[in-house]
Amino acid sequence: MTPPAHSAREALVQYFRTDQLLGLKEVPVRLPQPRTSAPASCKKAVSAAAAAERAELLRVLDDDQVKKCTKCGLSESRGHTVFGQGSSAARLVFVGEAPGFEEDRQGVAFVGKAGQLLTRMIAAMGLSREEVFICNVLKCRPPNNRDPAADEIAKCSPYLYEQLAIIEPEVIVALGAPAAKTLLQTTQGIGRLRGRFHDFYLSGIEGIGPAIPLMPTYHPAYLLRSPGEKNKAWADLQAVMKRLGLPLPK
Ligand code: URA
């Protein structure tokens, strides 16, 4: 009899092969591999070859698909696409909303004012940007930083799902409501979602395939406007550190 894990794996293969669902026919698919024991750093104990393979898959996704994407109108107004940056072997992935002015100018995620706060938050966790992976739901900037439209999220989020399938992080932090709502497929607000782990399914279907623990927290741009909420975000990040076995500050 086929063991349940195998069925889930098969379901995931089927899912990723169904290009109508993800719209990513050409992207090579890697399936989650069994984990080795978790290291104390924030990079997975994967071989150099496996990390290079993941980096190459990310590069192909970026160069062949994201940079050339014209699936929605944002492609007409963008300066650069913003794929995301960091380690292909990251145990922790941060997902934001969409590039802003500075990110669109540089083609790099979270480098404006909110990004500088995120960099400090990551440093407070004892980590560097290079050890984690930082990306967004949308790869192009909405004009005047307006909220992402539902159809833009629907067309762009398959790239994010593919990034997460390649990296296979142990924990995801969703920064702000659009990221949390997209990944958890919920309409609940960030105030209700934050503060506890949720199951994120790579398949996009609850209960199908492997789940990754996801911590929703406040977006750094919100924290810049509401610094009184920083202690809640820090509590969320400490829960993430605990989950990853990282040393907590005394
Ligand atoms: N806000 C985001 O959500 N993402 C960025 O990359 C920058 C600001």
Side-chain angles (χ1 to χ4, degrees):
M1 203 175 96
T2 313
H6 183 68
S7 320
R9 194 178 168 84
E10 286 299 302
L12 190 61
V13 175
Q14 219 26 64
Y15 183 82
F16 279 115
R17 285 200 179 130
T18 310
D19 63 290
Q20 297 94 315
L21 282 177
L22 279 187
L24 287 174
K25 210 184 335 199
E26 311 87 333
V27 173
V29 165
R30 274 186 64 265
L31 285 168
Q33 301 297 314
R35 296 199 177 287
T36 55
S37 59
S41 90
C42 218
K43 282 200 188 162
K44 275 196 285 283
V46 293
S47 67
E53 185 202 354
R54 288 163 200 239
E56 177 60 7
L57 289 171
L58 291 172
R59 188 197 63 75
V60 169
L61 179 62
D62 188 15
D63 287 353
D64 291 2
Q65 303 221 25
V66 172
K67 283 194 176 107
K68 295 178 183 165
C69 184
T70 54
K71 284 188 199 167
C72 79
L74 298 182
S75 61
E76 287 159 29
S77 54
R78 74 181 173 221
H80 292 96
T81 55
V82 180
F83 182 74
Q85 286 75 34
S87 168
S88 63
R91 297 173 66 206
L92 176 58
V93 171
F94 290 87
V95 180
E97 178 178 328
F101 174 84
E102 200 51 43
E103 291 78 17
D104 175 73
R105 198 178 71 78
Q106 296 189 33
V108 181
F110 279 100
V111 286
K113 282 210 169 71
Q116 288 159 22
L117 175 56
L118 178 62
T119 304
R120 292 198 295 277
M121 289 159 70
I122 293 169
M125 297 173 80
L127 302 171
S128 67
R129 285 176 65 109
E130 292 70 32
E131 281 176 283
V132 300
F133 196 87
I134 305 171
C135 57
N136 287 300
V137 174
L138 294 192
K139 308 307 185 206
C140 295
R141 180 190 183 210
N144 302 316
N145 299 343
R146 65 156 167 75
D147 290 345
D151 69 307
E152 292 160 356
I153 293 177
K155 286 176 181 151
C156 204
S157 58
Y159 296 132
L160 171 62
Y161 272 69
E162 186 58 27
Q163 288 176 301
L164 295 172
I166 292 169
I167 298 170
E168 299 175 55
E170 286 168 46
V171 176
I172 297 166
V173 173
L175 299 164
K181 288 179 177 179
T182 300
L183 292 172
L184 298 176
Q185 301 188 15
T186 178
T187 53
Q188 276 191 37
I190 190 69
R192 291 179 71 97
L193 291 170
R194 63 149 292 275
R196 64 200 155 90
F197 286 100
H198 302 254
D199 283 335
F200 162 71
Y201 287 92
L202 268 176
S203 64
I205 303 169
E206 196 173 337
I208 299 290
I212 300 175
L214 181 148
M215 174 64 81
T217 194
Y218 291 125
H219 192 286
Y222 170 76
L223 295 174
L224 288 173
R225 294 192 301 273
S226 311
E229 302 281 51
K230 279 186 185 169
N231 58 340
K232 291 186 192 157
W234 179 229
D236 298 342
L237 296 183
Q238 283 184 294
V240 168
M241 292 166 71
K242 212 167 156 194
R243 187 88 181 212
L244 290 168
L246 299 173
L248 294 174
K250 296 231 163 61

PDB file of all heavy atoms in Angstrom, residues 82 96-100 103 108-111 114-115 136 219, ligand 1:
ATOM      1  N   VAL A  82      11.631  42.828  -9.288  1.00  0.00           N
ATOM      2  CA  VAL A  82      12.348  42.585  -8.019  1.00  0.00           C
ATOM      3  C   VAL A  82      12.071  41.142  -7.611  1.00  0.00           C
ATOM      4  O   VAL A  82      11.028  40.833  -7.032  1.00  0.00           O
ATOM      5  CB  VAL A  82      11.896  43.580  -6.929  1.00  0.00           C
ATOM      6  CG1 VAL A  82      12.641  43.312  -5.623  1.00  0.00           C
ATOM      7  CG2 VAL A  82      12.129  45.013  -7.391  1.00  0.00           C
ATOM      8  N   GLY A  96       7.328  39.979   1.714  1.00  0.00           N
ATOM      9  CA  GLY A  96       6.654  41.269   1.835  1.00  0.00           C
ATOM     10  C   GLY A  96       5.559  41.398   0.789  1.00  0.00           C
ATOM     11  O   GLY A  96       5.116  40.405   0.190  1.00  0.00           O
ATOM     12  N   GLU A  97       5.171  42.660   0.561  1.00  0.00           N
ATOM     13  CA  GLU A  97       4.002  42.917  -0.302  1.00  0.00           C
ATOM     14  C   GLU A  97       4.400  43.128  -1.770  1.00  0.00           C
ATOM     15  O   GLU A  97       4.046  42.346  -2.639  1.00  0.00           O
ATOM     16  CB  GLU A  97       3.306  44.160   0.262  1.00  0.00           C
ATOM     17  CG  GLU A  97       2.123  44.643  -0.486  1.00  0.00           C
ATOM     18  CD  GLU A  97       1.496  45.857   0.222  1.00  0.00           C
ATOM     19  OE1 GLU A  97       1.557  45.934   1.477  1.00  0.00           O
ATOM     20  OE2 GLU A  97       0.941  46.712  -0.474  1.00  0.00           O
ATOM     21  N   ALA A  98       5.150  44.181  -2.000  1.00  0.00           N
ATOM     22  CA  ALA A  98       5.511  44.555  -3.371  1.00  0.00           C
ATOM     23  C   ALA A  98       6.660  45.554  -3.314  1.00  0.00           C
ATOM     24  O   ALA A  98       6.818  46.252  -2.309  1.00  0.00           O
ATOM     25  CB  ALA A  98       4.312  45.202  -4.069  1.00  0.00           C
ATOM     26  N   PRO A  99       7.448  45.643  -4.380  1.00  0.00           N
ATOM     27  CA  PRO A  99       8.526  46.632  -4.382  1.00  0.00           C
ATOM     28  C   PRO A  99       7.968  48.052  -4.257  1.00  0.00           C
ATOM     29  O   PRO A  99       6.863  48.343  -4.741  1.00  0.00           O
ATOM     30  CB  PRO A  99       9.174  46.453  -5.764  1.00  0.00           C
ATOM     31  CG  PRO A  99       8.677  45.143  -6.282  1.00  0.00           C
ATOM     32  CD  PRO A  99       7.373  44.864  -5.614  1.00  0.00           C
ATOM     33  N   GLY A 100       8.734  48.921  -3.609  1.00  0.00           N
ATOM     34  CA  GLY A 100       8.411  50.345  -3.558  1.00  0.00           C
ATOM     35  C   GLY A 100       9.326  51.088  -4.524  1.00  0.00           C
ATOM     36  O   GLY A 100       9.981  50.478  -5.388  1.00  0.00           O
ATOM     37  N   GLU A 103      13.094  50.026  -4.384  1.00  0.00           N
ATOM     38  CA  GLU A 103      13.263  48.641  -4.835  1.00  0.00           C
ATOM     39  C   GLU A 103      13.102  48.573  -6.360  1.00  0.00           C
ATOM     40  O   GLU A 103      13.868  47.877  -7.043  1.00  0.00           O
ATOM     41  CB  GLU A 103      12.231  47.729  -4.157  1.00  0.00           C
ATOM     42  CG  GLU A 103      12.449  47.525  -2.665  1.00  0.00           C
ATOM     43  CD  GLU A 103      12.006  48.686  -1.793  1.00  0.00           C
ATOM     44  OE1 GLU A 103      11.226  49.550  -2.285  1.00  0.00           O
ATOM     45  OE2 GLU A 103      12.437  48.753  -0.622  1.00  0.00           O
ATOM     46  N   VAL A 108      16.129  45.450  -6.183  1.00  0.00           N
ATOM     47  CA  VAL A 108      16.472  44.672  -4.980  1.00  0.00           C
ATOM     48  C   VAL A 108      15.353  44.853  -3.951  1.00  0.00           C
ATOM     49  O   VAL A 108      14.847  45.968  -3.763  1.00  0.00           O
ATOM     50  CB  VAL A 108      17.821  45.163  -4.385  1.00  0.00           C
ATOM     51  CG1 VAL A 108      18.192  44.346  -3.146  1.00  0.00           C
ATOM     52  CG2 VAL A 108      18.927  45.079  -5.428  1.00  0.00           C
ATOM     53  N   ALA A 109      14.979  43.750  -3.277  1.00  0.00           N
ATOM     54  CA  ALA A 109      13.865  43.800  -2.326  1.00  0.00           C
ATOM     55  C   ALA A 109      14.270  44.487  -1.024  1.00  0.00           C
ATOM     56  O   ALA A 109      15.394  44.310  -0.540  1.00  0.00           O
ATOM     57  CB  ALA A 109      13.375  42.384  -2.015  1.00  0.00           C
ATOM     58  N   PHE A 110      13.350  45.248  -0.482  1.00  0.00           N
ATOM     59  CA  PHE A 110      13.491  45.843   0.858  1.00  0.00           C
ATOM     60  C   PHE A 110      14.814  46.603   1.039  1.00  0.00           C
ATOM     61  O   PHE A 110      15.637  46.240   1.875  1.00  0.00           O
ATOM     62  CB  PHE A 110      13.331  44.760   1.948  1.00  0.00           C
ATOM     63  CG  PHE A 110      11.895  44.436   2.255  1.00  0.00           C
ATOM     64  CD1 PHE A 110      11.290  43.314   1.716  1.00  0.00           C
ATOM     65  CD2 PHE A 110      11.142  45.271   3.079  1.00  0.00           C
ATOM     66  CE1 PHE A 110       9.950  43.025   1.985  1.00  0.00           C
ATOM     67  CE2 PHE A 110       9.814  44.987   3.358  1.00  0.00           C
ATOM     68  CZ  PHE A 110       9.225  43.856   2.811  1.00  0.00           C
ATOM     69  N   VAL A 111      14.986  47.641   0.226  1.00  0.00           N
ATOM     70  CA  VAL A 111      16.175  48.488   0.380  1.00  0.00           C
ATOM     71  C   VAL A 111      15.811  49.944   0.689  1.00  0.00           C
ATOM     72  O   VAL A 111      16.696  50.766   0.903  1.00  0.00           O
ATOM     73  CB  VAL A 111      17.104  48.435  -0.864  1.00  0.00           C
ATOM     74  CG1 VAL A 111      17.858  47.124  -0.929  1.00  0.00           C
ATOM     75  CG2 VAL A 111      16.321  48.678  -2.159  1.00  0.00           C
ATOM     76  N   ALA A 114      11.570  51.081   4.785  1.00  0.00           N
ATOM     77  CA  ALA A 114      11.020  49.869   5.421  1.00  0.00           C
ATOM     78  C   ALA A 114      12.044  48.741   5.363  1.00  0.00           C
ATOM     79  O   ALA A 114      12.190  47.960   6.308  1.00  0.00           O
ATOM     80  CB  ALA A 114       9.721  49.452   4.735  1.00  0.00           C
ATOM     81  N   GLY A 115      12.760  48.689   4.263  1.00  0.00           N
ATOM     82  CA  GLY A 115      13.776  47.645   4.102  1.00  0.00           C
ATOM     83  C   GLY A 115      14.908  47.798   5.100  1.00  0.00           C
ATOM     84  O   GLY A 115      15.448  46.802   5.614  1.00  0.00           O
ATOM     85  N   ASN A 136       8.921  39.226  -2.239  1.00  0.00           N
ATOM     86  CA  ASN A 136       7.598  39.844  -2.151  1.00  0.00           C
ATOM     87  C   ASN A 136       6.551  39.019  -2.878  1.00  0.00           C
ATOM     88  O   ASN A 136       6.898  38.187  -3.725  1.00  0.00           O
ATOM     89  CB  ASN A 136       7.634  41.229  -2.808  1.00  0.00           C
ATOM     90  CG  ASN A 136       8.368  42.260  -1.973  1.00  0.00           C
ATOM     91  OD1 ASN A 136       7.985  42.542  -0.846  1.00  0.00           O
ATOM     92  ND2 ASN A 136       9.441  42.814  -2.529  1.00  0.00           N
ATOM     93  N   HIS A 219       4.139  44.516   8.947  1.00  0.00           N
ATOM     94  CA  HIS A 219       5.068  44.972   7.909  1.00  0.00           C
ATOM     95  C   HIS A 219       5.946  46.079   8.489  1.00  0.00           C
ATOM     96  O   HIS A 219       5.452  46.928   9.253  1.00  0.00           O
ATOM     97  CB  HIS A 219       4.249  45.503   6.719  1.00  0.00           C
ATOM     98  CG  HIS A 219       5.066  45.725   5.493  1.00  0.00           C
ATOM     99  ND1 HIS A 219       5.942  46.776   5.357  1.00  0.00           N
ATOM    100  CD2 HIS A 219       5.156  45.003   4.349  1.00  0.00           C
ATOM    101  CE1 HIS A 219       6.520  46.711   4.170  1.00  0.00           C
ATOM    102  NE2 HIS A 219       6.071  45.644   3.538  1.00  0.00           N
TER     103      HIS A 219
HETATM  104  N1  URA B   1       7.737  46.924   0.993  1.00  0.00           N
HETATM  105  C1  URA B   1       7.586  45.648   0.597  1.00  0.00           C
HETATM  106  O1  URA B   1       6.590  45.001   0.899  1.00  0.00           O
HETATM  107  N2  URA B   1       8.545  45.116  -0.125  1.00  0.00           N
HETATM  108  C2  URA B   1       9.658  45.747  -0.470  1.00  0.00           C
HETATM  109  O2  URA B   1      10.513  45.161  -1.138  1.00  0.00           O
HETATM  110  C3  URA B   1       9.794  47.071  -0.023  1.00  0.00           C
HETATM  111  C4  URA B   1       8.830  47.649   0.708  1.00  0.00           C
END
